[in-house]
Amino acid sequence: MATIHVDGQSYEVNGADNLLQACLSLGLDIPYFCWHPAMGSVGACRQCAVRQYKDEDDDKGMLVMSCMTPAADQTRIDIDDEEAKAFRASVVELLMINHPHDCPVCEEGGHCHLQDMTVMTGHDRRRYRFSKRTRRNQFLGPFIAHEMNRCITCYRCVRFYNDYAGGTDLGTFGSKDNVYFGRYEEGTLESPFAGNLTEVCPTGVFTDQSHSDRYTRKWDMQFAPGICHQCSMGCNISPGERYGEIRRIENRYHGEVNGYFLCDRGRFGYGYVNRSDRHLTPEWRQSPDSEPVSLGVDDALAQAGDALRHARRVIGIGSPRASLESNHQLQALVGANNFSTGIEAREQACLELMNHLQRHAGLPTPTPREIENHDAVLVLGEDPVQSAGRLGLNLRQAAVTRCAALGETIGIPDWNAEALKTLAQNRYYPLFIAWPAPTDLDQVAAARYALDPDGIARLGFAVAHAIDPAAPVVEGLTPDDDEAARSIARALMAAERPLIVSGGSLASEAVLEAAGSVARALSRRAKRGGLVLIRREANSTGLSLMGGQPLDWALDELAQGNADAVVVLENDLYQRLPTQRVDEALARAEMRIVLDHQRTATAARANFLLSAGSFAESDGTLVNLEGRAQRFFQVYEPGYMRPETRIHESWRWLHALSANLRGEAASHINLDTVVRACADAHPALAGMVDAAPDAQFRIDGLQLAREPHPYSGRTAMRADQDVSEPRVPQDADTAFAHSMEGYSGYQEPRQQVPFAWAPGWNSPQAWNKFTDEVGGHLRGGDPGVRLLHPVPGQGSYRQPTQSVKSTDALRALNLPRLFGGEETSARATPIQQRTELPCLTLSPDDALRLAVRSGDLVTIDQGTKLPVHEQENWPTGWAGLPAGLIPGLLTGESVTLNESAGDQP
């Protein structure tokens, strides 16, 4: 700690910070542009000038840039010094010389850091009367719009894109006052984190293209605290709604999970919520071939309940993309003995094994933020960027933060970004990846081992033995694999905080057991390491903790006639198992009830299709890959703008069905009730009650506002339907109000913040007002509660897998993909535009054996046509396929190829 003196007042601050960060953490406003809490200082904009004095006797001082000045003990500065204020005003005026001053038409208006800082410096007149410099904008893909005329040359964009996220196709061109930020040629930005430019850029140079088509100012949108549903990371998001549509998603700061950044799937994958083909009311079909008939809520419940009462046995199929509350209510409806998780058997076995390893492998699971403090990483059987996007960014920071350690040896503070970058010269902490295909982390990796699942598992077991001789020996290793294992083991043992990363992408228990063995070996050698295990879907962890039979069991029960009715919750079964198997099972069921918010192949087979709410229209709880239970909240009431809709949370539908099945009237139920019921029924989920405050939470007697103070036009929003303004929806489930009437400030600490706004801070930089220190944690505590905790002891080692003899059979290897590989986001138009053309990856040896070569079109199992891509070092005997391309095709299953004629797809 250090004592600094600001404008005559003394403050205790973190002496490791610079003065800008220290002052902002104290709530003292200093304007800035180029500095960012996650990226440090480069001193490019000269906007954060303050006057610094040598000591208490110095009455002259000098102007310094606060972002480049340490917050050393007894530092004395004046923020309100007249010369400093005049200097800051002159700097922003110079930066604005070529700016078009187009706030009324700029999509960043009212959300703009440049606006905030211009007002803060007192600059309110244009004196420049000459021609402004103009730029030609570039097409940068479906996610990002480009308007270079607004650039103030802060360099944040390239610093994030290149230095922080590892992108290579965005650059700085020119010099002096003729600098251009863009691509070497027009084209889609390649980084999967490019969307963060919309928040990193302090002006309107990079804006959200997906928002442009249905643009709404920030102050006219309704928000709620959300959790991203597109993978298992559990990133916190702020979805914004207007006229019953989600208009954009922004990052919601969480000090332990996502910090300031999201991946592009989480930011732009919300389009499925707004699809025009959604069913807005319950529907009934006599048969899959008949036309659907729309029903009212009471009729739907009465008819569906009557059908269930007459059924011999009802099977319930849950979903890892549905909330804990909805899955529990389904289990309560059908009974625990008739409940299936809706997860394929091998995947479910892997999930249960991952839960076991997180408890018993001897190493704790670090938070995503803590991952960045690990100094050696082994990734076994995962491509983290593609399977859990934001995690890939954490792992990249774990490798590149070696620069901070190098800087510490010679006294360079970790906020001095450019000095550390120069010192590091691309030297990274060791990162080893065992994965058959190239990954986005290869550029910072010490090595990548292109192995098949069996080879990856054997490499992991060999590493465990090299660390701890008590671990079983792996027989039959090649000299290269043996040396690789020893090299990895040496690096992990030399590290202070080694990290093991694995997951279920390969659906291999052997790979997971190998990761667990490495963790046990490190634990027995008294290493303070970590173990991270990646799941596939948003609530895979939570549902596996709840328990239930796998999907295979449910389909077998139906196919064998042991049950004659099925209730399917937010799950497209055709995405999980082969079409023929699902068809046979559903055909034997006399009654099929499906709850979903999308028209899926499974929904098309339903007798009753109930209109479930998406994440934007529901409340519920998810558990992420670290075991953190987090609550998401309804953004808007769908019936307010569209009174004809009958969309309700799945758990509310299922509760009413249960009551109807018992012949009772549906009693009132709210979120708190169903949360407690779920926690009471499942001891492993007991802590979920504390994931968020209950519906009675108030600040100064006020609910929390979903809408910013300047929210406008409410009384005219439904004028095309009725001149009378209806009462705003009343939310009995949560502590939030569907209006701007309520608490929206930052003075009182709170966990759940729908949107970041503070007086003078309208941009995403307003999050700094809600944290205990800039870049730290929310003052009310970071949301969520951990449910998975390690227990003492490391458990016993497992025996290594035996090497599998190669055969002529070609086996499928599903490769996770960020864009197009997840069921719901794949329905969003921007994601579809960003999805790359699929291909079939083969080794050169297999291509030669099968008489095909790169570019040839082949048919897989008499179905999907794909071009061949030959890849060096690809494991022989395996056919690489993009995940989700061929629904129901599982990793390890045999595939046959047939040559096709015609053009490539």
Side-chain angles (χ1 to χ4, degrees), residues 300-614:
L301 290 173
Q303 294 182 34
D306 185 62
L308 291 178
R309 276 196 299 274
H310 288 85
R312 287 185 293 106
R313 183 186 179 201
V314 183
I315 294 291
I317 300 178
S319 171
R321 64 175 168 90
S323 68
L324 290 176
E325 292 82 357
S326 295
N327 278 289
H328 167 70
Q329 287 296 312
L330 176 59
Q331 189 182 82
L333 171 69
V334 301
N337 294 332
N338 298 319
F339 176 73
S340 164
T341 61
I343 301 172
E344 182 266 330
R346 286 193 304 162
E347 182 181 354
Q348 180 156 324
C350 287
L351 290 171
E352 291 169 356
L353 177 56
M354 284 189 266
N355 293 341
H356 174 79
L357 292 175
Q358 280 189 237
R359 293 187 178 107
H360 300 285
L363 293 183
T365 297
T367 67
R369 180 190 184 118
E370 292 169 344
I371 287 172
E372 300 181 2
N373 296 322
H374 288 261
D375 53 353
V377 181
L378 171 61
V379 180
L380 279 175
E382 277 292 349
D383 182 351
V385 172
Q386 299 299 320
S387 57
R390 183 62 179 82
L391 182 67
L393 205 53
N394 296 120
L395 292 173
R396 177 179 166 78
Q397 299 318 301
V400 302
T401 50
R402 186 182 178 193
C403 63
L406 293 170
E408 187 177 359
T409 63
I410 60 174
I412 300 177
D414 59 9
W415 46 260
N416 196 336
E418 199 61 28
L420 293 176
K421 178 183 172 183
T422 302
L423 175 65
Q425 293 295 306
N426 295 328
R427 289 180 286 178
Y428 308 117
Y429 281 131
L431 168 62
F432 302 96
I433 303 171
W435 182 252
T439 77
D440 294 82
L441 295 174
D442 287 357
Q443 62 178 242
V444 296
R448 180 177 64 84
Y449 306 97
L451 302 170
D452 62 15
D454 174 58
I456 291 171
R458 288 169 58 77
L459 176 65
F461 283 118
V463 171
H465 177 72
I467 293 172
D468 181 8
V473 177
V474 180
E475 303 291 348
L477 281 179
T478 66
D480 287 346
D481 288 346
D482 183 62
E483 178 53 35
R486 293 179 184 277
S487 175
I488 295 169
R490 285 193 295 270
L492 295 177
M493 286 301 296
E496 292 184 10
R497 296 173 303 280
L499 177 69
I500 312 303
V501 179
S502 190
S505 289
L506 296 177
S508 169
E509 292 185 66
V511 169
L512 293 169
E513 289 285 13
S517 290
V518 179
R520 288 187 182 96
L522 289 170
S523 176
R524 294 186 179 196
R525 297 296 294 272
K527 282 294 176 181
R528 295 187 298 114
L531 175 66
V532 173
L533 299 171
I534 300 172
R535 283 77 163 176
R536 185 158 71 99
E537 294 176 85
N539 210 13
S540 293
T541 308
L543 190 52
S544 63
L545 291 173
M546 179 179 289
Q549 297 290 339
L551 176 60
D552 308 59
W553 169 87
L555 296 186
D556 289 344
E557 291 293 294
L558 291 168
Q560 294 166 11
N562 297 329
D564 57 347
V566 61
V567 181
V568 182
L569 167 67
E570 298 182 36
N571 199 338
D572 187 3
L573 311 184
Y574 290 91
Q575 294 288 326
R576 300 182 184 276
L577 285 173
T579 298
Q580 181 179 356
R581 187 173 182 187
V582 179
D583 279 343
E584 291 173 354
L586 294 182
R588 291 294 303 274
E590 297 176 10
M591 181 53 54
R592 299 172 294 274
I593 300 174
V594 175
L595 299 90
D596 212 329
H597 45 80
Q598 302 297 309
R599 292 191 181 275
T600 65
T602 303
R605 301 293 307 273
N607 300 108
F608 290 95
L609 177 57
L610 303 183
S611 44
S614 67

Side-chain angles (χ1 to χ4, degrees), residues 789-803:
H789 302 281
V791 299
Q794 303 92 356
S796 58
Y797 286 115
R798 300 296 190 270
Q799 288 298 317
T801 57
Q802 298 299 314
S803 180

Side-chain angles (χ1 to χ4, degrees), residues 186-348:
E186 286 196 351
T188 300
L189 288 170
E190 296 169 1
S191 171
F193 307 104
N196 292 292
L197 293 175
T198 64
E199 294 185 35
V200 166
C201 177
T203 74
V205 175
F206 299 99
T207 53
D208 186 337
Q209 182 69 38
S210 70
H211 185 206
S212 299
D213 296 335
R214 301 283 288 164
Y215 182 73
T216 303
R217 296 291 186 194
K218 176 181 180 178
W219 63 73
D220 278 339
M221 285 192 285
Q222 182 170 225
F223 301 87
I227 304 298
C228 181
H229 279 52
Q230 314 315 329
C231 81
S232 63
M233 272 296 289
C235 293
N236 286 216
I237 56 174
S238 287
E241 171 268 348
R242 182 74 168 180
Y243 292 111
E245 295 178 339
I246 294 296
R247 296 297 177 86
R248 72 181 299 175
I249 282 180
E250 293 184 276
N251 182 71
R252 181 164 64 96
Y253 185 85
H254 191 295
E256 289 291 355
V257 179
N258 48 288
Y260 293 96
F261 306 122
L262 298 173
C263 77
D264 285 357
R265 181 162 80 184
R267 187 181 294 274
F268 301 111
Y270 61 86
Y272 62 93
V273 176
N274 301 332
R275 285 180 65 99
S276 59
D277 62 351
R278 285 186 62 185
H279 52 288
L280 305 181
T281 61
E283 294 177 355
W284 173 76
R285 283 181 178 172
Q286 187 170 9
S287 69
D289 298 328
S290 60
E291 288 297 316
V293 177
S294 181
L295 298 175
V297 171
D298 291 340
D299 286 342
L301 290 173
Q303 294 182 34
D306 185 62
L308 291 178
R309 276 196 299 274
H310 288 85
R312 287 185 293 106
R313 183 186 179 201
V314 183
I315 294 291
I317 300 178
S319 171
R321 64 175 168 90
S323 68
L324 290 176
E325 292 82 357
S326 295
N327 278 289
H328 167 70
Q329 287 296 312
L330 176 59
Q331 189 182 82
L333 171 69
V334 301
N337 294 332
N338 298 319
F339 176 73
S340 164
T341 61
I343 301 172
E344 182 266 330
R346 286 193 304 162
E347 182 181 354
Q348 180 156 324

